[in-house]
Amino acid sequence: GTGQPCPSKSTVTIEESGMVFGPYNEGECFRIEASEAYRAIQTGVMMAEFLLIRNSSDRRAVWIIEAKSRSPHAGAKQRFDEFIGELREKLVNALHLGLASCLGRHRAAEHQLPQAFRDLDLKVVAFRLIVVIKGHEDDWLPPLDDALNAALNATIKTWALGANSVVVINDRLARARGLISNS
């Protein structure tokens, strides 16, 4: 395989926080933030942008993507802590709503959830919680990555997500991973 989408499959792009994510095979992307399942519960529930099925060499993974156009500096402690808390809440809520949708617990998700998500073997699929921050300097990523991993420690442990399951990257690294387009 060339890694390119099959011409017969429709693709989707997602514009968020000044970045164009995709193109992805439509059946491997679930716009959870725009879903009817989320609209039905959204009051008081923050949500990440979308879920994406990726195939690695060893197993399938669901990437939960949250996009940001900026972030506070780690030195601005209160704002930084609030930002990390918001990211944690969005990612955990997306993990939970995504799993609940795959398990058929939300009727509103039945016709919107792509078949590939319904077919996932939830016992073995990997999950990656990924934050993409546009224009963020590489040197600024480690403090955010460390703080978000610490904030998500209980989730990582209870869901047995494993090492490197939480990642904060910038648009340059997202482009290198095929998350955002070159346009």
Side-chain angles (χ1 to χ4, degrees):
T2 61
Q4 297 299 313
C6 298
S8 61
K9 291 184 180 178
S10 60
T11 59
V12 63
T13 57
I14 299 166
E15 290 188 44
E16 192 65 51
S17 299
M19 297 173 280
V20 178
F21 289 83
Y24 307 126
N25 289 331
E26 193 173 36
E28 295 176 345
C29 183
F30 179 45
R31 298 206 47 191
I32 197 163
E33 190 181 46
S35 71
E36 288 179 28
Y38 176 57
R39 276 198 295 277
I41 64 162
Q42 71 183 7
T43 304
V45 180
M46 293 191 289
M47 190 60 53
E49 267 68 63
F50 63 97
L51 309 182
L52 181 65
I53 295 176
R54 298 294 282 236
N55 295 309
S56 64
S57 56
D58 57 341
R59 66 178 173 167
R60 296 191 102 182
V62 173
W63 288 12
I64 299 172
I65 309 294
E66 170 63 12
K68 290 295 198 184
S69 56
R70 66 181 66 87
S71 76
H73 189 273
K77 178 115 177 79
Q78 182 176 349
R79 180 63 195 116
F80 183 81
D81 290 347
E82 289 170 2
F83 181 75
I84 293 298
E86 176 186 308
L87 292 176
R88 180 196 55 74
E89 188 171 340
K90 287 181 171 191
L91 293 166
V92 168
N93 290 346
L95 173 66
H96 292 166
L97 183 57
L99 285 165
S101 296
C102 288
L103 292 168
R105 298 187 62 89
H106 286 276
R107 291 185 68 79
E110 286 179 11
H111 69 281
Q112 286 185 317
L113 188 69
Q115 189 64 44
F117 284 89
R118 291 186 202 135
D119 293 342
L120 288 170
D121 183 347
L122 297 178
K123 283 193 279 187
V124 298
V125 71
F127 288 90
R128 308 265 334 256
L129 312 178
I130 301 173
V131 176
V132 181
I133 305 171
K134 183 179 179 164
H136 211 65
E137 297 290 332
D138 290 359
D139 297 355
W140 301 345
L141 294 170
L144 275 168
D145 195 78
D146 291 346
L148 188 58
N149 269 280
L152 285 164
N153 186 44
T155 300
I156 294 166
K157 285 179 179 179
T158 57
W159 283 101
L161 298 182
N164 304 314
S165 58
V166 177
V167 183
V168 179
I169 58 177
N170 57 21
D171 51 325
R172 183 186 65 77
L173 293 169
R175 193 170 290 109
R177 287 173 167 81
L179 272 177
I180 61 176
S181 68
N182 291 317
S183 53

